[in-house]
Amino acid sequence: MDRRTTKRIATAKEKARPELTNFGWNTLHLSSRMNLDPQKCRDTIDRVDGSKITYEEFVERYERPKKPVILTNLLNDWTANQKWSLERLGRKYRNQKFKCGEDNDGYSVKMKMKYFIEYLKRNTDDSPLYIFDSSFGDRHKTKKLLDDFKVPDFFADDLFRYASERKRPPYRWFVMGSARSGTGIHIDPLGTSAWNALIVGHKRWCLIPTQAPKDLVKVTRGEAGKHPDEAVTWFSIMYPRTQSPAWPAEFKPIEAVQRAGELMFVPSGWWHLVLNLDETIAVTQNFCSVTNLPVVWHKTVRGRPKLAKHWLRSLRAQRPELIPTIDAVQLDRPVGVQSDSSSSDSSSSSSDSSDSDSDSNDSGKGGTESVPHRMGADSHSRKRKPSPASSSCSTDCANKMRRSRSK
Ligand SMILES: O=C(O)CCC(=O)C(=O)O
Ligand SMILES: [Fe+2]
């Protein structure tokens, strides 16, 4: 590696994880210790051929019952299959910067594609930097990535599109990282569901029902070490517990090894995490559909009231048939789908930062729900600091703000 590459990588690492500067990035030697063989990872998820079921079947069998599923054959004609190789991305987006972390003040840490690819190929870090970029579609020089994929019909009716592009929460991410990078356990914000389409590599997933208490599924600070929120830590500490007879049967994870060409559907409210088993390139979107609207509306009114008001005005004008669904939502009752920042569904708890947000944070991000990746501040590649509301929330929330990579 040349001197400049080494320097740029070191600078990004120092900004994104200053706490590792003394401890070291590969102290745990996970690059030689972890099981990253896709063949040796359990896979218990349902798979269905996405080209053979109708929208109605998808809704009835998976979306309405909130059942995770991998859909195959939905990406066959995406040009991403050809264009998203390290080689071609490295050529076309060589000098473009992508977000690969966040500093302690909530600013994006970015790296040019050419440097990130060198890093991705050569690093032995325990939990490497990960490109998680939600503004690629807004930047002149990277928006061509949008032409390389198409939102599958099952997910096309995203009701957040009726909130203006500027006001809606970040919703799509270009995702790229090496083995051992990934996303720690979380629930996606505002009750949204997600799809995650893998173009290159293998992603190992665990998904746990929304009813599982936070204290059960998260590594506690005491046992977490230097990488408390990282997927590598969860798989080392928590995963073995989920396989022991003492683990509650109703919270047993659904496991998956997602392969290139497959699309994961993550229903509203499910706990989930991802460990990249090798070099991966993916695109993921969060959405509000007609099906999850009651939950999303409940959480948006409570967590992002200003956004809710603006969104409702637009839905009234453009989707009047949905207003009865919205009117039927009982805002003072638990909605049955947990948020990441609470330990239970806390429709009436004022200690739940996601639900008691005064909306001073209403600036185009995912509210104060604390979710790795999905709540950062770069939705329009502006550098923004976290608002006072979010930086003064619980340690947990502040920590995730710090580590969030705008997803
Ligand atoms: O790392 C990934 O691919 C999954 C990310 C994810 O679940 C999220 O950002 O909400
Ligand atoms: Fe997620």
Side-chain angles (χ1 to χ4, degrees):
M1 247 192 274
D2 66 29
R3 286 226 337 261
R4 178 171 295 173
T5 307
T6 311
K7 181 94 196 295
R8 294 292 183 271
I9 294 169
T11 306
K13 286 167 77 164
E14 167 68 33
K15 284 188 191 152
R17 303 285 306 277
E19 75 278 17
L20 296 181
T21 305
N22 291 329
F23 179 77
W25 280 68
N26 56 9
T27 313
L28 308 177
H29 304 291
L30 298 182
S31 68
S32 53
R33 283 199 193 155
M34 279 196 88
N35 165 33
L36 297 169
D37 181 350
Q39 310 286 355
K40 296 201 179 117
C41 301
R42 275 166 66 90
D43 186 301
T44 56
I45 198 166
D46 272 15
R47 277 182 173 72
V48 70
D49 186 334
S51 69
K52 297 222 167 93
I53 60 168
T54 63
Y55 171 79
E56 288 74 24
E57 284 167 337
F58 170 71
V59 172
E60 285 323 304
R61 281 160 61 183
Y62 301 103
E63 196 181 13
R64 199 169 298 286
K66 296 202 174 75
K67 193 172 168 171
V69 64
I70 283 181
L71 297 158
T72 58
N73 290 318
L74 286 179
L75 332 178
N76 297 349
D77 56 2
W78 289 9
T79 52
N81 293 317
Q82 288 75 46
K83 295 190 173 177
W84 294 11
S85 62
L86 294 186
E87 229 251 312
R88 290 184 68 172
L89 289 172
R91 240 185 295 138
K92 187 157 177 179
Y93 300 101
R94 188 157 192 75
N95 289 309
Q96 299 313 310
K97 291 181 177 173
F98 288 82
K99 178 171 177 175
C100 60
E102 204 165 273
D103 70 15
N104 278 351
D105 298 322
Y107 289 100
S108 296
V109 174
K110 295 186 168 181
M111 211 192 285
K112 283 186 179 173
M113 183 57 93
K114 61 183 174 190
Y115 301 132
F116 189 80
I117 288 178
E118 286 303 300
Y119 171 72
L120 180 133
K121 286 184 179 156
R122 296 189 211 299
N123 84 80
T124 57
D125 295 346
D126 294 322
S127 184
L129 293 175
Y130 195 21
I131 287 185
F132 230 99
D133 191 303
S134 67
S135 59
F136 71 94
D138 310 322
R139 299 192 303 265
H140 177 61
K141 297 231 168 139
T142 52
K143 61 153 67 105
K144 270 207 147 26
L145 287 166
L146 292 174
D147 300 340
D148 301 338
F149 67 94
K150 179 178 171 286
V151 177
D153 293 343
F154 300 141
F155 315 111
D157 189 18
D158 181 352
L159 300 173
F160 267 134
R161 73 182 184 283
Y162 297 107
S164 71
E165 195 68 18
R166 225 172 47 80
K167 289 188 177 147
R168 67 177 298 184
Y171 63 102
R172 64 181 169 213
W173 291 264
F174 175 76
V175 187
M176 178 170 167
S178 57
R180 300 176 307 287
S181 65
T183 303
I185 193 156
H186 65 282
I187 294 173
D188 282 352
L190 298 175
T192 55
S193 308
W195 58 265
N196 187 313
L198 185 59
I199 307 302
V200 172
H202 298 80
K203 283 180 183 282
R204 183 179 185 191
W205 293 75
C206 276
L207 300 104
I208 298 177
T210 192
Q211 294 80 10
K214 180 177 179 169
D215 299 346
L216 181 74
V217 302
K218 290 207 171 186
V219 181
T220 62
R221 293 281 142 186
E223 57 192 355
K226 285 281 181 193
H227 299 283
D229 298 318
E230 305 298 300
V232 286
T233 308
W234 194 93
F235 274 106
S236 314
I237 296 179
M238 294 302 299
Y239 177 74
R241 282 183 206 163
T242 68
Q243 302 305 297
S244 94
W247 188 264
E250 68 271 33
F251 302 144
K252 195 120 176 126
I254 293 179
E255 296 188 47
V257 176
Q258 180 188 19
R259 288 156 202 277
E262 295 185 329
L263 179 145
M264 173 69 79
F265 166 62
V266 182
S268 173
W270 279 70
W271 293 103
H272 58 283
L273 76 152
V274 168
L275 177 69
N276 293 310
L277 297 177
D278 45 23
E279 293 161 359
T280 67
I281 306 175
V283 59
T284 177
Q285 291 201 187
N286 276 54
F287 61 91
C288 171
S289 63
V290 172
T291 309
N292 68 19
L293 176 61
V295 177
V296 176
W297 179 253
H298 188 284
K299 291 187 183 288
T300 305
V301 168
R302 302 179 68 88
R304 300 282 307 275
K306 276 204 289 206
L307 168 63
K309 212 168 149 195
H310 155 83
W311 188 28
L312 180 59
R313 213 176 301 131
S314 172
L315 285 171
R316 252 190 227 295
Q318 302 190 64
R319 296 294 290 267
E321 81 282 8
L322 297 175
I323 300 304
T325 308
I326 286 176
D327 286 342
V329 175
Q330 297 188 295
L331 294 169
D332 52 351
R333 295 257 183 91
V335 72
V337 168
Q338 218 185 146
S339 295
D340 204 352
S341 48
S342 60
S343 53
S344 62
D345 184 71
S346 58
S347 65
S348 59
S349 159
S350 58
S351 65
D352 178 350
S353 61
S354 74
D355 281 359
S356 61
D357 180 21
S358 63
D359 210 28
S360 51
N361 185 35
D362 195 348
S363 56
K365 25 183 188 153
T368 55
E369 308 236 0
S370 349
V371 177
H373 306 311
R374 297 205 180 218
M375 64 173 296
D378 77 336
S379 63
H380 300 290
S381 75
R382 280 187 299 245
K383 290 186 174 177
R384 275 202 219 100
K385 278 194 172 181
S387 68
S390 45
S391 52
S392 65
C393 67
S394 69
T395 322
D396 194 31
C397 174
N399 187 48
K400 284 181 194 147
M401 262 314 277
R402 183 163 60 72
R403 294 284 299 121
S404 74
R405 301 133 176 152
S406 191
K407 176 150 224 202

